[in-house]
Amino acid sequence: MGQDEPRTYLLMFPNNAELRTQGGNPTAFAIMEIDDGRIAIRAEVGAIGGIPVFPERVGEFDDDELGVFPDLGLSMASITRTPDFPTTARAAQEMWERTFGLRVDGVLSVDPVALSYVLGATGPLALDGGGQLSADNVVDRVLSDVYVEYPDGASQDAYFTAISSLVFVAVSSGQGSFVDLVAAFGRAAEEHRLMFWASRPDEQGVIELTPLTGADDGTESEATAFDFYLNDYTATKLGYYLDATLDVGASRCQAVDTVFELSGELVSSVDPDAVLPGALSSPVAPPGVILTRAMIVGPPGAEFVEARIDGKRVPTESVVEWEGRAAVVLDLPLNPGESVEFSSRFEGDGLDYPDLDVRTTPMVRETPMRVYDAYC
Protein backbone atom coordinates (compact mmCIF):
# COMPACT_ATOMS: atom_id res chain seq x y z
CA MET A 1 0.00 0.00 0.00
CA GLY A 2 1.42 3.33 -1.10
CA GLN A 3 3.85 1.72 -3.56
CA ASP A 4 1.91 2.50 -6.73
CA GLU A 5 0.32 5.77 -5.61
CA PRO A 6 0.20 7.86 -2.44
CA ARG A 7 -2.21 6.71 0.27
CA THR A 8 -3.66 8.55 3.21
CA TYR A 9 -4.96 6.80 6.32
CA LEU A 10 -6.80 7.96 9.39
CA LEU A 11 -5.19 6.81 12.64
CA MET A 12 -7.85 6.50 15.33
CA PHE A 13 -6.84 6.15 18.99
CA PRO A 14 -9.69 4.80 21.13
CA ASN A 15 -9.67 5.69 24.84
CA ASN A 16 -10.33 2.57 26.95
CA ALA A 17 -11.04 4.76 29.97
CA GLU A 18 -14.40 5.48 28.31
CA LEU A 19 -15.46 2.01 27.22
CA ARG A 20 -17.07 1.11 23.95
CA THR A 21 -17.76 -2.33 22.50
CA GLN A 22 -14.55 -2.21 20.45
CA GLY A 23 -12.53 -0.86 23.39
CA GLY A 24 -12.95 2.89 23.75
CA ASN A 25 -14.32 6.19 22.59
CA PRO A 26 -12.06 7.51 19.79
CA THR A 27 -10.84 10.86 21.08
CA ALA A 28 -7.48 11.28 19.34
CA PHE A 29 -6.53 11.15 15.66
CA ALA A 30 -3.61 11.45 13.28
CA ILE A 31 -3.15 11.28 9.52
CA MET A 32 -0.64 8.81 8.08
CA GLU A 33 0.58 9.48 4.54
CA ILE A 34 2.45 6.77 2.63
CA ASP A 35 4.20 7.51 -0.64
CA ASP A 36 6.62 5.08 -2.28
CA GLY A 37 7.48 3.49 1.05
CA ARG A 38 7.96 6.80 2.87
CA ILE A 39 5.68 7.33 5.87
CA ALA A 40 4.72 10.70 7.34
CA ILE A 41 2.61 11.15 10.47
CA ARG A 42 0.62 14.32 11.07
CA ALA A 43 -1.03 14.64 14.47
CA GLU A 44 -4.55 16.07 14.22
CA VAL A 45 -4.51 17.92 17.54
CA GLY A 46 -7.97 19.15 18.49
CA ALA A 47 -9.70 17.27 15.67
CA ILE A 48 -12.27 15.68 17.97
CA GLY A 49 -13.47 19.13 18.99
CA GLY A 50 -14.09 19.99 15.35
CA ILE A 51 -16.16 16.93 14.53
CA PRO A 52 -19.82 17.82 15.12
CA VAL A 53 -22.82 15.92 16.33
CA PHE A 54 -24.45 15.18 13.00
CA PRO A 55 -28.15 15.98 12.49
CA GLU A 56 -28.57 12.82 10.44
CA ARG A 57 -26.95 9.44 10.88
CA VAL A 58 -23.60 8.95 9.14
CA GLY A 59 -22.77 5.41 8.04
CA GLU A 60 -24.81 2.29 7.53
CA PHE A 61 -26.03 0.33 10.56
CA ASP A 62 -28.57 -2.48 10.63
CA ASP A 63 -31.73 -2.68 12.74
CA ASP A 64 -30.13 -4.90 15.39
CA GLU A 65 -27.29 -2.42 15.91
CA LEU A 66 -29.64 0.56 16.11
CA GLY A 67 -32.00 -1.29 18.43
CA VAL A 68 -29.25 -1.64 21.05
CA PHE A 69 -27.23 1.50 20.23
CA PRO A 70 -29.63 4.16 18.89
CA ASP A 71 -26.91 6.85 18.88
CA LEU A 72 -24.75 5.02 16.33
CA GLY A 73 -23.52 7.30 13.57
CA LEU A 74 -24.60 10.57 15.16
CA SER A 75 -21.12 11.42 16.44
CA MET A 76 -17.57 10.08 16.33
CA ALA A 77 -18.00 9.09 19.99
CA SER A 78 -20.72 6.60 19.04
CA ILE A 79 -19.25 4.65 16.15
CA THR A 80 -17.21 2.16 18.19
CA ARG A 81 -20.30 0.85 19.98
CA THR A 82 -20.79 -1.70 17.20
CA PRO A 83 -18.42 -4.70 17.39
CA ASP A 84 -17.91 -4.58 13.61
CA PHE A 85 -14.83 -2.50 12.84
CA PRO A 86 -15.38 -2.25 9.05
CA THR A 87 -18.74 -0.61 9.79
CA THR A 88 -17.03 1.78 12.21
CA ALA A 89 -14.26 2.59 9.74
CA ARG A 90 -16.61 3.43 6.89
CA ALA A 91 -18.53 5.80 9.19
CA ALA A 92 -15.27 7.40 10.39
CA GLN A 93 -14.12 7.86 6.80
CA GLU A 94 -17.33 9.67 5.90
CA MET A 95 -17.37 11.80 9.07
CA TRP A 96 -13.78 12.89 8.46
CA GLU A 97 -14.51 13.84 4.86
CA ARG A 98 -17.64 15.79 5.79
CA THR A 99 -15.78 17.67 8.53
CA PHE A 100 -12.32 18.25 7.05
CA GLY A 101 -12.76 17.64 3.34
CA LEU A 102 -10.24 14.77 3.18
CA ARG A 103 -11.34 11.31 2.06
CA VAL A 104 -8.92 8.80 3.53
CA ASP A 105 -7.98 5.48 1.94
CA GLY A 106 -8.44 3.52 5.14
CA VAL A 107 -8.69 3.62 8.91
CA LEU A 108 -6.29 2.15 11.49
CA SER A 109 -7.40 1.88 15.12
CA VAL A 110 -4.78 1.49 17.87
CA ASP A 111 -5.51 1.61 21.60
CA PRO A 112 -3.05 2.62 24.38
CA VAL A 113 -2.41 -0.97 25.43
CA ALA A 114 -1.38 -1.79 21.87
CA LEU A 115 0.95 1.21 22.01
CA SER A 116 2.54 -0.32 25.12
CA TYR A 117 3.24 -3.52 23.18
CA VAL A 118 4.85 -1.48 20.40
CA LEU A 119 6.97 0.45 22.90
CA GLY A 120 8.17 -2.87 24.24
CA ALA A 121 9.68 -3.42 20.80
CA THR A 122 10.96 0.09 20.06
CA GLY A 123 12.26 0.79 23.55
CA PRO A 124 11.57 4.03 25.49
CA LEU A 125 11.07 7.31 23.64
CA ALA A 126 12.25 10.70 24.84
CA LEU A 127 9.52 13.26 25.56
CA ASP A 128 9.73 16.98 24.91
CA GLY A 129 10.26 18.65 28.24
CA GLY A 130 12.05 15.65 29.73
CA GLY A 131 11.14 12.16 30.78
CA GLN A 132 10.52 9.02 28.78
CA LEU A 133 7.56 7.21 27.30
CA SER A 134 7.83 3.46 27.80
CA ALA A 135 5.89 0.23 27.71
CA ASP A 136 5.52 0.49 31.47
CA ASN A 137 4.06 4.00 31.67
CA VAL A 138 2.22 4.83 28.43
CA VAL A 139 -1.15 3.41 29.52
CA ASP A 140 -1.10 5.30 32.83
CA ARG A 141 0.08 8.48 31.12
CA VAL A 142 -2.73 8.67 28.56
CA LEU A 143 -5.58 7.06 30.50
CA SER A 144 -5.00 8.35 34.04
CA ASP A 145 -2.21 10.90 34.63
CA VAL A 146 -3.41 13.20 31.87
CA TYR A 147 -6.67 13.93 33.72
CA VAL A 148 -4.73 15.16 36.75
CA GLU A 149 -2.18 17.20 34.81
CA TYR A 150 -4.54 18.78 32.25
CA PRO A 151 -7.90 20.14 33.42
CA ASP A 152 -9.65 20.65 30.08
CA GLY A 153 -10.72 18.18 27.43
CA ALA A 154 -8.91 19.89 24.55
CA SER A 155 -5.55 19.68 26.33
CA GLN A 156 -6.18 16.06 27.27
CA ASP A 157 -7.01 15.08 23.69
CA ALA A 158 -3.99 17.01 22.39
CA TYR A 159 -1.72 15.13 24.81
CA PHE A 160 -3.26 11.78 23.86
CA THR A 161 -2.81 12.58 20.16
CA ALA A 162 0.79 13.74 20.56
CA ILE A 163 1.82 10.68 22.59
CA SER A 164 0.14 8.22 20.23
CA SER A 165 1.60 9.90 17.16
CA LEU A 166 5.07 9.85 18.70
CA VAL A 167 4.97 6.06 18.86
CA PHE A 168 4.05 5.79 15.19
CA VAL A 169 6.79 8.20 14.20
CA ALA A 170 9.28 5.94 16.00
CA VAL A 171 7.97 2.87 14.18
CA SER A 172 8.00 4.58 10.77
CA SER A 173 11.59 5.71 11.32
CA GLY A 174 12.70 2.12 11.86
CA GLN A 175 13.31 2.22 15.59
CA GLY A 176 13.27 -1.14 17.34
CA SER A 177 13.55 -4.78 16.39
CA PHE A 178 11.50 -5.78 13.33
CA VAL A 179 10.83 -9.22 14.79
CA ASP A 180 9.67 -7.74 18.09
CA LEU A 181 7.48 -5.22 16.28
CA VAL A 182 5.78 -7.96 14.27
CA ALA A 183 5.10 -9.86 17.49
CA ALA A 184 3.75 -6.71 19.16
CA PHE A 185 1.40 -5.93 16.28
CA GLY A 186 0.30 -9.57 16.13
CA ARG A 187 -0.55 -9.65 19.83
CA ALA A 188 -2.47 -6.37 19.58
CA ALA A 189 -4.46 -7.63 16.60
CA GLU A 190 -5.37 -10.89 18.32
CA GLU A 191 -6.71 -8.88 21.28
CA HIS A 192 -8.70 -6.55 18.95
CA ARG A 193 -6.59 -3.60 20.09
CA LEU A 194 -5.21 -3.06 16.57
CA MET A 195 -7.66 -3.05 13.64
CA PHE A 196 -7.39 -1.95 10.03
CA TRP A 197 -9.81 -1.29 7.20
CA ALA A 198 -8.97 -0.35 3.60
CA SER A 199 -11.42 1.24 1.19
CA ARG A 200 -10.06 -0.66 -1.82
CA PRO A 201 -11.84 -4.05 -2.06
CA ASP A 202 -8.73 -6.00 -3.11
CA GLU A 203 -6.74 -4.72 -0.14
CA GLN A 204 -9.66 -5.22 2.25
CA GLY A 205 -9.99 -8.79 1.00
CA VAL A 206 -6.46 -9.50 2.23
CA ILE A 207 -7.11 -7.81 5.59
CA GLU A 208 -10.21 -9.94 6.11
CA LEU A 209 -7.98 -13.02 6.19
CA THR A 210 -6.16 -11.67 9.27
CA PRO A 211 -7.07 -10.72 12.86
CA LEU A 212 -6.67 -7.05 11.82
CA THR A 213 -10.16 -7.11 10.32
CA GLY A 214 -12.00 -6.62 13.63
CA ALA A 215 -15.17 -7.86 11.93
CA ASP A 216 -18.19 -9.14 13.82
CA ASP A 217 -18.26 -12.57 12.17
CA GLY A 218 -19.63 -14.69 15.02
CA THR A 219 -22.27 -16.33 12.86
CA GLU A 220 -19.63 -17.41 10.32
CA SER A 221 -16.89 -18.50 12.72
CA GLU A 222 -15.71 -22.08 12.66
CA ALA A 223 -15.65 -21.96 16.47
CA THR A 224 -18.65 -21.36 18.74
CA ALA A 225 -18.83 -17.59 19.21
CA PHE A 226 -19.77 -16.20 22.64
CA ASP A 227 -19.41 -12.43 23.09
CA PHE A 228 -19.20 -10.03 26.04
CA TYR A 229 -19.25 -6.31 25.28
CA LEU A 230 -19.14 -3.26 27.56
CA ASN A 231 -20.19 0.34 26.94
CA ASP A 232 -19.80 3.32 29.23
CA TYR A 233 -22.69 5.74 29.78
CA THR A 234 -21.04 7.86 32.49
CA ALA A 235 -19.71 10.24 29.81
CA THR A 236 -16.33 10.54 31.53
CA LYS A 237 -13.06 8.58 31.77
CA LEU A 238 -13.62 6.40 34.86
CA GLY A 239 -13.13 3.18 32.92
CA TYR A 240 -9.50 3.28 34.02
CA TYR A 241 -10.81 2.19 37.43
CA LEU A 242 -12.97 -0.65 36.12
CA ASP A 243 -11.99 -4.33 35.92
CA ALA A 244 -13.84 -7.47 34.90
CA THR A 245 -13.45 -11.20 35.43
CA LEU A 246 -15.30 -13.84 33.42
CA ASP A 247 -16.24 -17.52 33.61
CA VAL A 248 -17.45 -18.97 30.32
CA GLY A 249 -18.56 -22.51 29.77
CA ALA A 250 -20.26 -25.04 27.53
CA SER A 251 -21.61 -28.26 28.98
CA ARG A 252 -22.52 -31.14 26.69
CA CYS A 253 -23.32 -33.42 29.61
CA GLN A 254 -27.08 -33.24 29.15
CA ALA A 255 -28.80 -35.92 27.10
CA VAL A 256 -30.09 -33.56 24.42
CA ASP A 257 -28.80 -29.99 24.38
CA THR A 258 -25.65 -28.00 25.14
CA VAL A 259 -25.87 -25.50 28.01
CA PHE A 260 -23.82 -22.32 27.65
CA GLU A 261 -23.05 -20.03 30.57
CA LEU A 262 -21.24 -16.71 30.88
CA SER A 263 -20.88 -15.13 34.31
CA GLY A 264 -18.55 -12.67 35.92
CA GLU A 265 -17.95 -9.62 38.03
CA LEU A 266 -17.30 -5.94 37.44
CA VAL A 267 -15.22 -4.18 40.10
CA SER A 268 -14.70 -0.47 40.66
CA SER A 269 -11.38 0.58 42.17
CA VAL A 270 -12.47 4.20 42.62
CA ASP A 271 -11.56 5.25 46.16
CA PRO A 272 -14.82 6.20 47.93
CA ASP A 273 -12.95 8.84 49.95
CA ALA A 274 -10.99 10.33 47.06
CA VAL A 275 -11.66 13.71 45.52
CA LEU A 276 -11.54 13.04 41.80
CA PRO A 277 -10.12 15.58 39.34
CA GLY A 278 -12.72 17.80 37.76
CA ALA A 279 -11.94 16.20 34.42
CA LEU A 280 -13.45 12.96 35.74
CA SER A 281 -16.76 14.54 36.74
CA SER A 282 -19.78 13.02 35.03
CA PRO A 283 -22.68 15.10 33.70
CA VAL A 284 -25.12 12.26 34.40
CA ALA A 285 -23.90 10.40 37.52
CA PRO A 286 -22.79 11.21 41.09
CA PRO A 287 -19.04 11.52 41.74
CA GLY A 288 -17.19 8.25 41.26
CA VAL A 289 -20.20 6.27 40.04
CA ILE A 290 -19.54 4.24 36.86
CA LEU A 291 -22.48 3.49 34.57
CA THR A 292 -21.75 0.47 32.39
CA ARG A 293 -24.01 -1.47 30.08
CA ALA A 294 -23.02 -5.03 29.17
CA MET A 295 -24.26 -7.04 26.21
CA ILE A 296 -23.84 -10.81 26.26
CA VAL A 297 -24.36 -12.45 22.87
CA GLY A 298 -25.07 -16.16 22.99
CA PRO A 299 -23.72 -18.76 20.56
CA PRO A 300 -25.36 -19.14 17.13
CA GLY A 301 -28.48 -21.27 17.33
CA ALA A 302 -28.69 -21.06 21.13
CA GLU A 303 -31.79 -19.75 22.92
CA PHE A 304 -31.66 -17.37 25.86
CA VAL A 305 -32.71 -18.98 29.15
CA GLU A 306 -32.02 -16.44 31.90
CA ALA A 307 -29.72 -13.74 33.22
CA ARG A 308 -29.16 -12.44 36.73
CA ILE A 309 -27.56 -9.40 38.36
CA ASP A 310 -26.41 -10.01 41.93
CA GLY A 311 -28.65 -13.06 41.97
CA LYS A 312 -31.80 -11.29 40.77
CA ARG A 313 -33.32 -12.40 37.48
CA VAL A 314 -33.44 -9.67 34.83
CA PRO A 315 -36.71 -8.97 32.96
CA THR A 316 -37.32 -10.38 29.50
CA GLU A 317 -37.32 -6.83 28.09
CA SER A 318 -33.53 -7.01 28.35
CA VAL A 319 -33.39 -9.79 25.74
CA VAL A 320 -32.61 -8.72 22.16
CA GLU A 321 -31.63 -10.30 18.86
CA TRP A 322 -28.13 -9.62 17.57
CA GLU A 323 -27.28 -10.66 14.01
CA GLY A 324 -29.42 -13.79 14.28
CA ARG A 325 -28.20 -14.64 17.79
CA ALA A 326 -29.94 -14.26 21.14
CA ALA A 327 -28.44 -11.60 23.40
CA VAL A 328 -29.15 -9.90 26.71
CA VAL A 329 -28.39 -6.33 27.75
CA LEU A 330 -27.51 -5.67 31.41
CA ASP A 331 -27.19 -2.31 33.15
CA LEU A 332 -24.41 -2.59 35.74
CA PRO A 333 -24.01 0.68 37.70
CA LEU A 334 -21.21 0.72 40.26
CA ASN A 335 -20.64 2.93 43.29
CA PRO A 336 -17.01 3.73 44.19
CA GLY A 337 -15.15 0.70 45.51
CA GLU A 338 -18.04 -1.70 44.93
CA SER A 339 -18.60 -4.70 42.66
CA VAL A 340 -21.49 -6.33 40.83
CA GLU A 341 -21.93 -9.95 39.77
CA PHE A 342 -23.81 -11.09 36.69
CA SER A 343 -24.63 -14.37 34.98
CA SER A 344 -26.35 -15.61 31.84
CA ARG A 345 -27.45 -18.95 30.46
CA PHE A 346 -28.25 -20.06 26.93
CA GLU A 347 -29.34 -23.45 25.63
CA GLY A 348 -28.08 -24.79 22.34
CA ASP A 349 -29.82 -27.05 19.86
CA GLY A 350 -28.16 -30.42 20.25
CA LEU A 351 -24.59 -31.30 21.24
CA ASP A 352 -22.73 -30.68 18.00
CA TYR A 353 -20.99 -27.39 18.83
CA PRO A 354 -17.27 -26.77 18.20
CA ASP A 355 -14.99 -25.30 20.87
CA LEU A 356 -15.79 -21.88 22.31
CA ASP A 357 -14.33 -18.64 20.95
CA VAL A 358 -15.00 -15.78 23.36
CA ARG A 359 -14.68 -12.17 22.20
CA THR A 360 -14.63 -9.45 24.85
CA THR A 361 -14.26 -5.68 24.96
CA PRO A 362 -10.56 -4.79 25.36
CA MET A 363 -10.32 -2.95 28.68
CA VAL A 364 -7.46 -0.98 30.26
CA ARG A 365 -6.22 -4.16 31.92
CA GLU A 366 -6.54 -7.75 30.76
CA THR A 367 -9.82 -9.47 31.64
CA PRO A 368 -9.03 -12.75 33.46
CA MET A 369 -11.20 -15.45 31.94
CA ARG A 370 -11.74 -19.10 32.78
CA VAL A 371 -13.18 -21.15 29.93
CA TYR A 372 -14.47 -24.65 30.47
CA ASP A 373 -15.65 -26.70 27.52
CA ALA A 374 -17.04 -29.98 28.82
CA TYR A 375 -17.50 -33.10 26.72
CA CYS A 376 -18.98 -35.74 29.02
Side-chain angles (χ1 to χ4, degrees), residues 208-220:
E208 288 173 354
L209 301 176
T210 75
L212 287 170
T213 176
D216 179 23
D217 57 357
T219 57
E220 302 175 4

Side-chain angles (χ1 to χ4, degrees), residues 123-144:
L125 305 178
L127 293 172
D128 291 341
Q132 287 188 328
L133 186 70
S134 70
D136 295 329
N137 68 15
V138 62
V139 173
D140 290 343
R141 276 186 175 272
V142 300
L143 298 184
S144 177

Side-chain angles (χ1 to χ4, degrees), residues 264-342:
E265 183 180 35
L266 282 185
V267 179
S268 166
S269 59
V270 175
D271 185 346
D273 300 320
V275 178
L276 294 172
L280 296 182
S281 298
S282 168
V284 297
V289 172
I290 305 176
L291 306 178
T292 307
R293 179 169 293 170
M295 182 170 72
I296 302 170
V297 187
E303 294 184 357
F304 173 80
V305 178
E306 70 165 16
R308 295 176 182 268
I309 300 175
D310 283 337
K312 297 180 180 179
R313 190 190 296 261
V314 304
T316 55
E317 289 81 3
S318 300
V319 181
V320 298
E321 182 173 306
W322 185 266
E323 310 302 336
R325 299 159 61 190
V328 61
V329 177
L330 307 176
D331 286 320
L332 304 171
L334 270 177
N335 290 320
E338 294 188 355
S339 62
V340 60
E341 295 181 347
F342 54 89

Side-chain angles (χ1 to χ4, degrees), residues 210-256:
T210 75
L212 287 170
T213 176
D216 179 23
D217 57 357
T219 57
E220 302 175 4
S221 173
E222 295 181 359
T224 300
F226 210 163
D227 304 328
F228 176 72
Y229 300 130
L230 296 173
N231 280 272
D232 174 80
Y233 287 90
T234 319
T236 187
K237 305 299 191 293
L238 287 173
Y240 178 83
Y241 302 95
L242 189 68
D243 290 284
T245 58
L246 291 177
D247 287 295
V248 188
S251 175
R252 300 165 180 80
C253 299
Q254 304 297 322
V256 180

Side-chain angles (χ1 to χ4, degrees), residues 28-200:
F29 304 90
I31 292 296
M32 180 170 66
E33 298 172 335
I34 305 178
D35 186 4
D36 195 25
R38 294 184 297 273
I39 300 175
I41 307 292
R42 183 175 75 247
E44 294 292 332
V45 176
I48 189 63
I51 302 174
V53 174
F54 294 89
E56 297 181 354
R57 200 177 310 280
V58 178
E60 296 183 3
F61 306 93
D62 63 33
D63 290 342
D64 289 349
E65 291 173 313
L66 295 176
V68 179
F69 307 115
D71 62 338
L72 273 171
L74 297 179
S75 69
M76 191 69 85
S78 72
I79 60 174
T80 50
R81 292 198 191 279
T82 171
D84 189 66
F85 181 69
T87 298
T88 291
R90 286 189 288 268
Q93 179 195 46
E94 187 173 348
M95 287 182 179
W96 197 266
E97 183 177 22
R98 289 193 188 188
T99 306
F100 302 108
L102 173 65
R103 186 164 185 83
V104 297
D105 297 302
V107 180
L108 180 66
S109 176
V110 190
D111 79 3
V113 178
L115 293 179
S116 76
Y117 299 161
V118 174
L119 282 165
T122 64
L125 305 178
L127 293 172
D128 291 341
Q132 287 188 328
L133 186 70
S134 70
D136 295 329
N137 68 15
V138 62
V139 173
D140 290 343
R141 276 186 175 272
V142 300
L143 298 184
S144 177
D145 298 349
V146 63
Y147 301 110
V148 176
E149 297 174 12
Y150 299 93
D152 65 281
S155 297
Q156 294 157 11
D157 294 338
Y159 182 82
F160 195 165
T161 301
I163 291 294
S164 302
S165 300
L166 178 64
V167 177
F168 269 83
V169 169
V171 172
S172 64
S173 66
Q175 184 167 333
S177 159
F178 176 77
V179 173
D180 291 344
L181 279 171
V182 170
F185 286 131
R187 178 183 178 186
E190 290 288 349
E191 296 178 6
H192 299 287
R193 298 183 183 278
L194 173 67
M195 296 177 286
F196 184 41
W197 171 82
S199 61
R200 289 167 170 77

